[in-house]
Amino acid sequence: MSTETRAADRSSVLFVCVHNAGRSQMAAAYVTHLAGDAVEVRSAGSAPADQVNPSAEAAMAEEGIDITAETPKVLTTDAVKESDVVITMGCGDTCPILPGKRYEDWELADPAGQGLDAVRPIRDEIRQCVLGLLESLGITPVQA
């Protein structure tokens, strides 16, 4: 199967939060970890931070997932156009709304400025949301 055919056959998800430094990075990492290459994953922010939240990095490391190489990215209309599902996490009206896209808003606490103890429950809630998303896309997690 060619790469083009395979890419066309898989779902594409975009996770958006304001700083693209915590929630959206953790969600994107969970999808990659749990779905392998069955889902094309993007994350972005309306006002990206300079770096990923160190508490988010530490919380994900506890799950065996390394996000230290990730960098916050700016949200673009093209990223929305290229995605089937757009998951917002508090970015409000700054997300472009395009026809034919599936939109969800996950109401999650913001890990910005929080320590590891406060980020763990956010991480765990994100994992549950990601598992529900994968189920809705008909994707069985490669890891539980």
Side-chain angles (χ1 to χ4, degrees):
M1 179 183 296
S2 76
T3 305
E4 289 174 13
T5 303
R6 191 162 136 209
D9 289 344
R10 64 184 180 154
S11 295
S12 177
V13 178
L14 169 64
F15 293 100
V16 181
C17 68
V18 174
H19 300 298
N20 189 223
R23 296 166 290 189
S24 56
Q25 292 285 353
M26 290 189 283
Y30 267 130
V31 169
T32 300
H33 182 73
L34 295 168
D37 63 358
V39 178
E40 183 179 11
V41 183
R42 295 178 182 81
S43 70
S46 52
D50 294 331
Q51 64 182 32
V52 173
N53 180 330
S55 294
E57 291 176 344
M60 293 305 286
E62 291 180 346
E63 296 283 289
I65 302 171
D66 182 3
I67 62 170
T68 58
E70 298 302 324
T71 56
K73 297 168 244 5
V74 69
L75 175 64
T76 65
T77 301
D78 283 344
V80 176
K81 285 180 184 175
E82 294 168 6
S83 302
D84 301 313
V85 182
V86 179
I87 309 288
T88 57
M89 303 173 174
C91 73
D93 294 333
T94 61
C95 298
I97 304 296
L98 301 175
K101 305 297 175 187
R102 173 177 152 194
Y103 289 87
E104 291 184 23
D105 185 49
W106 293 354
E107 292 189 28
L108 301 161
D110 190 347
Q114 303 292 323
L116 182 57
D117 287 341
V119 173
R120 283 184 185 116
I122 299 168
R123 173 203 64 201
D124 295 345
E125 188 176 358
I126 289 169
R127 186 178 194 282
Q128 290 308 309
C129 289
V130 165
L131 288 170
L133 172 67
L134 294 178
E135 183 179 345
S136 76
L137 294 173
I139 296 167
T140 302
V142 293
Q143 304 183 39

